[in-house]
Amino acid sequence: MQDIQFKRHRRLRRTDSMRALVRETHLRTDDLIYPIFVVEGEGHKNPVASMPGVHQVSLDYLTEEMNELVHLNIRSVIVFGVPNEKDEIGSKAFHEEGIVQRAVRQIKEEHPALTVIADTCLCQYTDHGHCGVVRDGEIENDESLEYITKTAVTQAEAGADIIAPSNMMDGFVAAIRQGLDEAGFSNIPVMSYAVKYASSFYGPFRDAAHSSPQFGDRRAYQMDPANRLEAIREAESDVNEGADFLIVKPALAYLDIMREVKDRFNLPLVAYNVSGEYSMIKAAAQNGWVNEQEIVLEKLTAMKRAGADLIITYFAKDAAKWLNQ
């Protein structure tokens, strides 16, 4: 053994304190963004069957939800609306008294220090479930941009701190940026769903948001999961159009894409830890197959290691409790 030369890497792994001392990647409550589903009416705290622990809440329950987030030191929330009326153009998305607009106003009145992000899309509001206007079975890109921009402006008027468009129409960042600027909201940033794949991991979300398409699918505007270079083109377009944040969605199966986007573009990167990723772990944990706390924190840390600055996750409350311990 005296003649063998090798590195003793284990020296830095001997104790908890030593491992903490040299840890390269850190997960904090400040990194977490909690998604909330807000519904019309009163007295609603509806459990989402496919997402254990997640609820649709009406405005009278929203205060309770936000108080819990503040107590857990979670500073950011993204708001999704579930309207009680839908039509072909999704007009409730851009109505001044739409459910997201009312929720944003309430949150900012009660907790002005919270960062409130408004999801900006039409799919929950259209009777066909697509993210844009449908004419003769086709998604009309440019007409859709008009309504998406109106939505962004009314959300900013309601007090949203960040606009997060998730529709994947071509030019959506440019249209929203122009619309916000012309309406006097040049200080409101755009958190673009720049890289959004046509993924099978979205199923439980569509239960929660009542947003499943009534015909076809979204592969004509969301990205092919097989493509890497296309992700770079999409992100580059959004950077050039004025995006302030870039989202990669989903996160877990696309860590390679996240790393490449982060390496190429000098903007805050957001990982969306989507509903299917959440529900699989919840189901496995309920069956006793995995240690939920350990696997969730490992997964979220992997997203940070891959380049994410922020993480949208339904695990935000659970993770914050574990981190605060």
Side-chain angles (χ1 to χ4, degrees), residues 25-85:
T25 304
H26 296 275
L27 181 67
R28 310 168 302 157
T29 57
D30 286 350
D31 302 328
L32 306 175
I33 301 170
Y34 185 65
I36 186 82
F37 298 96
V38 187
V39 297
E40 306 273 8
E42 294 182 354
H44 297 302
K45 190 172 183 179
N46 309 324
V48 180
S50 57
M51 299 178 69
V54 174
H55 298 79
Q56 300 170 329
V57 298
S58 50
L59 293 176
D60 50 325
Y61 277 102
L62 188 58
T63 298
E64 176 185 307
E65 289 283 332
M66 295 304 104
N67 288 344
E68 184 181 6
L69 295 183
V70 170
H71 176 72
L72 292 170
N73 296 318
I74 296 172
R75 297 172 180 262
S76 304
V77 61
I78 183 167
V79 182
F80 296 91
V82 185
N84 56 7
E85 296 179 12

Side-chain angles (χ1 to χ4, degrees), residues 12-28 297-298 301-302 304-305 323:
L12 302 184
R13 304 174 193 154
R14 290 189 305 110
T15 64
D16 284 343
S17 60
M18 182 70 75
R19 290 189 291 272
L21 185 67
V22 299
R23 187 160 294 138
E24 301 171 24
T25 304
H26 296 275
L27 181 67
R28 310 168 302 157
L297 293 180
E298 180 180 343
T301 301
K304 289 291 301 289
R305 190 186 65 242
L323 293 171

Side-chain angles (χ1 to χ4, degrees), residues 99-112:
I99 186 60
V100 166
Q101 288 79 356
R102 284 186 286 150
V104 168
R105 282 196 292 269
Q106 179 174 322
I107 296 170
K108 293 305 293 185
E109 287 172 3
E110 296 175 350
H111 294 288

